[in-house]
């Protein structure tokens, strides 16, 4: 057994089956059996999402990973076993700039004070102030440079310098893999998040696909994947992995890429965006997503057991209804009532099925309360020493998490 398949078995039995109560896969038959394929998916968790796809795709999928992570002891070992491809990210190479910088709103002239632009900047680099990134177009002096139009006024602010990174080696590795008929996995949002909607998609997937076809990979297919985590903050929750219809990258776009890279990439990204939206639930935020899931549960007949396909279909139908009837006062009133109902369930530590199955009646609730108290009394003696032993681990983990968050920002 190769290292990849050993790692796949480890992820399946020691991670996925432990942390998730149930994982359903929809559309597995849509995955091409051979040929170059790029899997694209929404990104909820930096580590869980790749594991979820590796476990549920019966082909070797080489994911892109930050080159910085490849150097970490455990993560790097797992990544190499998974045949991951390292990507050097500008944010991982960012350095604090000397001095302070100012720029008027809608201006392209950045003015520094105590800065050394000629030493620290180069064309193609970015000046980052908070969440705002300004691409450097030219450098006039140590205190003046021309940047992209500034979306907001910046006044005497500290900044970071994000260097321009040449990704030629990474793209060459991807093109070689696709030419060999391998699979590539990528999260086109560029970063993980807990929103119910997609972030703006990065064009890297289009550049990879079109560049590979130009390099002789033949027809490249793209498969959209939807990772639907139900109640993601709860241990032993449920997941539905949906594989959408694969589509071939149009040969016309590959030909256009030779003379008009920007236009070809934009055309393919439109197809990618449409494909990703087809496997997403369609809610605007987590609260709305939970309300729509509750609507689906209330709509379902009590004795009807939905298949994963039916569950996803109903979820998307309610999401479409939300989009088309969003301004209808009746629908708004319904959404408000359902959200209040969800909050009431959460405050009572109940689930909707508990109510529908009659588990929330007075006698039943009283028995559940007594049962919970008995469990607490029985398990408390075991919990206290475990908690004491776990405190140092929790403290170290919290400190490391704060350090990593600070570095990421």
């Amino acid at each position: 057994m190769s290292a990849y398949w050993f790692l796949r078995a480890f992820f399946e039995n020691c991670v996925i089956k432990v942390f998730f109560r149930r994982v359903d896969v929809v559309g597995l038959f849509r995955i091409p059996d051979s040929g170059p394929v790029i899997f694209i998916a929404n990104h909820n968790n930096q580590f869980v999402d790749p594991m979820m796809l590796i476990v549920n795709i019966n082909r070797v999928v080489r994911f892109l990973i930050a080159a910085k992570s490849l150097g970490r002891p455990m993560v790097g070992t797992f990544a190499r076993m998974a045949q991951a491809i390292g990507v050097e990210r500008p944010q991982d190479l960012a350095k604090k700039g000397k001095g302070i910088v100012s720029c008027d709103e809608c201006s392209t002239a950045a003015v520094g004070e105590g800065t050394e632009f000629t030493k620290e900047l180069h064309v193609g680099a970015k000046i980052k102030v908070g969440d705002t990134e300004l691409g450097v177009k030219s450098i006039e002096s140590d205190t003046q440079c021309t940047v992209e139009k500034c979306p907001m006024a910046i006044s005497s602010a500290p900044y970071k310098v994000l260097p321009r990174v040449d990704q030629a080696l990474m793209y060459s590795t991807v093109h070689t893999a696709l030419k060999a008929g391998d699979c590539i996995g990528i999260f086109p949002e560029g970063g993980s998040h807990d929103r119910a909607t997609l972030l703006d998609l990065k064009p890297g997937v289009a550049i990879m696909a079109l560049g590979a076809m130009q390099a002789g990979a033949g027809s490249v297919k793209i498969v959209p994947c939807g990772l639907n985590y139900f109640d993601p903050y709860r241990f032993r929750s449920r997941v539905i992995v949906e594989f959408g219809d694969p589509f071939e990258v149009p040969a016309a776009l590959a030909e256009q890429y030779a003379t008009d890279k920007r236009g070809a990439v934009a055309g393919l990204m439109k197809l990618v965006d449409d494909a990703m939206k087809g496997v997403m639930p369609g809610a605007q935020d987590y609260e709305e997503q939970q309300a729509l899931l509750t609507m689906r549960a209330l709509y379902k007949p009590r004795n009807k057991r939905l298949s994963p396909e039916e569950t996803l279909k109903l979820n998307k139908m309610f999401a479409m209804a939300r989009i088309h009837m969003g301004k209808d006062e009746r629908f708004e009133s319904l959404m408000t009532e359902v959200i209040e109902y969800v909050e009431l369930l959460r405050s009572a530590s109940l689930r909707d099925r508990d109510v529908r199955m009659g588990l929330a009646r007075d006698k039943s609730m009283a028995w559940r309360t007594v049962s919970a108290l008995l469990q607490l009394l029985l398990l408390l003696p075991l919990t206290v020493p475990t908690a004491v032993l776990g405190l140092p681990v929790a403290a170290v983990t919290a400190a490391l998490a704060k350090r990593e968050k600070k570095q990421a920002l």
Side-chain angles (χ1 to χ4, degrees):
M1 179 185 291
S2 69
Y4 182 92
W5 297 107
F6 175 82
L7 185 67
R8 183 181 188 269
F10 172 78
F11 285 161
E12 180 176 7
N13 295 289
C14 300
V15 179
I16 302 301
K17 288 184 177 179
V18 171
F19 285 92
F20 297 97
R21 170 178 57 88
R22 179 176 170 187
V23 178
D24 293 307
V25 182
V26 175
L28 195 60
F29 64 91
R30 298 190 179 105
I31 297 176
D33 294 326
S34 60
V37 176
I38 299 177
F39 291 91
I40 54 175
N42 56 306
H43 206 10
N44 299 277
N45 185 283
Q46 180 181 1
F47 299 110
V48 176
D49 294 344
M51 291 184 198
M52 192 65 69
L53 293 175
I54 286 172
V55 166
N56 290 290
I57 297 175
N58 291 322
R59 294 185 62 180
V60 174
V61 182
R62 302 183 66 185
F63 282 91
L64 271 63
I65 185 173
K68 178 182 177 182
S69 298
L70 283 173
R72 294 180 175 175
M74 185 176 295
V75 175
T77 300
F78 284 159
R80 286 187 287 274
M81 290 175 68
Q83 303 177 33
I85 299 171
V87 181
E88 201 70 78
R89 302 186 305 177
Q91 59 264 42
D92 294 333
L93 304 174
K95 294 182 179 179
K96 185 178 180 180
K98 187 175 181 180
I100 53 177
V101 68
S102 300
C103 189
D104 295 331
E105 185 175 359
C106 297
S107 173
T108 59
V111 179
E113 183 179 334
T115 53
E116 296 182 348
F117 287 163
T118 56
K119 293 181 180 179
E120 295 184 335
L121 300 182
H122 55 269
V123 176
K126 291 184 178 181
I127 294 174
K128 183 175 182 180
V129 179
D131 293 329
T132 303
E133 296 181 3
L134 303 173
V136 177
K137 293 186 174 180
S138 64
I139 303 161
E140 284 72 43
S141 68
D142 276 338
T143 57
Q144 290 187 338
C145 66
T146 302
V147 297
E148 298 169 345
K149 185 183 290 186
C150 188
M152 57 180 284
I154 297 173
S155 178
S156 302
Y159 65 97
K160 289 183 178 181
V161 178
L162 277 62
R164 181 179 181 275
V165 178
D166 184 4
Q167 301 289 9
L169 178 60
M170 180 272 293
Y171 283 121
S172 175
T173 304
V174 170
H175 295 164
T176 301
L178 291 173
K179 283 174 64 177
D182 292 343
C183 300
I184 297 294
I186 185 172
F187 301 99
E189 294 172 280
S192 58
H193 60 92
D194 58 359
R195 292 170 50 178
T197 54
L198 288 169
L199 301 178
D200 292 336
L201 304 183
K202 303 295 189 293
V205 58
I207 297 172
M208 291 174 193
L210 294 169
M213 290 180 68
Q214 266 203 340
S219 178
V220 176
K221 293 182 179 179
I222 297 177
V223 179
C225 314
L227 300 174
N228 299 272
Y229 295 91
F230 294 75
D231 210 354
Y233 303 108
R234 184 190 293 270
F235 181 65
R236 301 288 294 167
S237 59
R238 182 188 178 193
V239 186
I240 294 184
V241 181
E242 179 183 14
F243 295 102
D245 290 318
F247 66 92
E248 291 188 12
V249 176
L253 288 179
E255 293 177 6
Q256 181 184 350
Y257 188 71
T259 56
D260 178 18
K261 286 183 169 56
R262 187 181 296 272
V265 168
L268 183 53
M269 286 308 297
K270 177 65 170 63
L271 299 177
V272 169
D273 188 61
D274 290 342
M276 284 301 303
K277 287 178 179 177
V279 293
M280 289 295 293
Q284 294 300 313
D285 52 43
Y286 178 74
E287 183 182 64
E288 183 175 295
Q289 183 181 21
Q290 294 304 303
L292 294 175
L293 293 178
T294 304
M295 284 185 179
R296 184 257 300 161
L298 293 170
Y299 173 81
K300 180 183 75 69
R302 181 172 178 178
N303 297 322
K304 169 70 174 176
R305 184 178 180 83
L306 298 177
S307 67
E309 290 85 354
E310 292 171 329
T311 298
L312 285 179
K313 186 176 180 180
L314 276 177
N315 289 347
K316 292 175 183 178
M317 289 177 67
F318 277 106
M320 289 177 62
R322 174 63 170 139
I323 294 171
H324 294 296
M325 300 177 64
K327 296 182 179 179
D328 190 301
E329 291 183 0
R330 296 171 299 173
F331 197 90
E332 286 291 338
S333 176
L334 175 61
M335 282 294 295
T336 301
E337 290 181 9
V338 173
I339 290 173
E340 290 176 354
Y341 173 62
V342 171
E343 288 298 322
L344 184 62
L345 290 174
R346 186 177 291 114
S347 62
S349 297
L350 289 170
R351 291 172 291 185
D352 172 65
R353 66 177 183 177
D354 296 335
V355 177
R356 288 183 286 111
M357 295 175 67
L359 299 180
R361 290 193 294 265
D362 292 342
K363 290 183 179 180
S364 178
M365 286 296 292
W367 167 246
R368 293 182 70 184
T369 303
V370 171
S371 176
L373 287 172
L374 290 173
Q375 290 181 47
L376 177 63
L377 292 173
L378 289 171
L379 296 176
L380 189 60
L382 298 175
T383 304
V384 174
T386 304
V388 171
L389 292 172
L391 279 176
V393 177
V396 171
T397 303
L400 290 174
K402 287 182 179 179
R403 189 186 71 180
E404 291 296 322
K405 182 178 181 181
K406 186 177 181 181
Q407 291 178 353
L409 296 175

